[in-house]
Amino acid sequence: AQSVAQPEDQVNVAEGNPLTVKCTYSVSGNPYLFWYVQYPNRGLQFLLKYITGDNLVKGSYGFEAEFNKSQTSFHLKKPSALVSDSALYFCAVRDMLAAGNKLTFGGGTRVLVKP
Amino acid sequence: GAGVSQSPRYKVAKRGQDVALRCDPISGHVSLFWYQQALGQGPEFLTYFQNEAQLDKSGLPSDRFFAERPEGSVSTLKIQRTQQEDSAVYLCASSKGQATQSRSGNTIYFGEGSWLTVV
């Protein structure tokens, strides 16, 4: 079984400050990890993924995420947040050894960046 | 097309009515997924196709839900005798990967969703 936890329902940050959105996961084997962003009344947009290799992954719009196997975490980060980053962020996992390709999502974290 | 296309974007159905939601995946994508997203929650897996074969339908909540992809491209999610608890956003997604390539880590790309409200 695979699962994802996003412990914060909402994160508030001032524009220009660093942004962190937390994610922890649980899988039987090794994980593929993904971050998606959802703007109001829109679908999910892919931000970045970790498959293998460097633990620090860089993605779209200046976002990055760090894979930490010992802590089973994949926190999303941005050094300097913009008001336009305000949206709903979802972490997702897929077990590398599981049959099929389905992603399991966390409950989402709403990010509010204030000017 | 450039992205995953879904229609209708918005649908209001009376309780008991049947609905059909259409998904046109990214051209050449083998895998197609349907997810259900309730308000304020993360997407929940419904079903998965590899080409025309429905390989996983473990997430379909009841036998009122039915999905097909007869020619391995466009897919339709059908909900019979809709109930209020079916109100949600139905997201379609596609990827290049196949089930036999579960180690590939292919990115799954989502459409804008079909917003279903059952009244």
Side-chain angles (χ1 to χ4, degrees), chain B residues 15-38:
Chain B
R15 191 173 55 169
Q17 185 179 353
D18 296 349
V19 299
L21 308 176
R22 175 190 167 102
C23 173
D24 199 341
I26 294 172
S27 180
H29 277 195
V30 168
S31 297
L32 184 145
F33 307 80
W34 284 98
Y35 282 80
Q36 180 190 57
Q37 185 178 19

Side-chain angles (χ1 to χ4, degrees), chain B residues 49-82:
Chain B
F49 289 87
Q50 178 184 321
N51 295 308
E52 69 280 2
Q54 189 175 19
L55 299 184
D56 187 346
K57 53 182 180 180
S58 62
L60 296 176
S62 77
D63 59 7
R64 296 186 296 104
F65 287 71
F66 172 76
E68 60 183 5
R69 193 186 186 197
E71 298 179 358
S73 178
V74 171
S75 177
T76 303
L77 177 66
K78 298 180 179 178
I79 309 173
Q80 298 176 323
R81 305 181 303 282
T82 53

